[in-house]
Amino acid sequence: SKVVAKEFDIKVRFAGEEPNDPFTRKYNEYMRKLLPKNGVEFVEIPRKECGNKVISASLVRKYLKEMNFDAIEKLVPTTTLEYLKKN
């Protein structure tokens, strides 16, 4: 990663917070430790929440399977909602 970061002049690596998936959470922990040692800042972006639940693609797929567009509307941008309704 040091060579790639240097080659492309990468100074910051952004990643989404992962409260649900242990594998991805561990990957983020690894990047948090490794990247700064190689001159790359690691920034973890908090997951957007709706009510007391984090928004995830899995949750949107669940609501889509149930055809619950009222619930989906609270989680996604209008353009995404319109696309899901059409398709």
Side-chain angles (χ1 to χ4, degrees):
S1 68
K2 187 175 183 179
V3 174
V4 171
K6 184 177 179 182
E7 183 70 26
F8 290 104
D9 196 30
I10 296 170
K11 300 199 178 5
V12 181
R13 167 65 158 96
F14 295 93
E17 174 187 53
E18 185 45 69
N20 297 329
D21 181 57
F23 180 80
T24 303
R25 187 171 48 251
K26 194 63 147 174
Y27 180 64
N28 284 358
E29 289 172 16
Y30 180 74
M31 287 193 293
R32 187 178 301 108
K33 291 176 187 173
L34 177 69
L35 292 177
K37 292 177 184 177
N38 291 287
V40 178
E41 179 184 0
F42 177 69
V43 177
E44 192 169 26
I45 302 167
R47 178 78 63 116
K48 188 173 179 181
E49 295 184 7
C50 182
N52 292 330
K53 293 182 179 180
V54 293
I55 298 174
S56 70
S58 298
L59 183 59
V60 173
R61 284 191 296 270
K62 174 186 176 291
Y63 289 147
L64 186 58
K65 187 175 180 181
E66 297 168 356
M67 301 298 283
N68 187 346
F69 292 106
D70 291 334
I72 294 172
E73 183 176 19
K74 297 172 187 167
L75 306 178
V76 301
T78 304
T79 52
T80 302
L81 177 65
E82 290 171 4
Y83 176 83
L84 293 174
K85 283 182 174 180
K86 289 178 185 176
N87 296 293

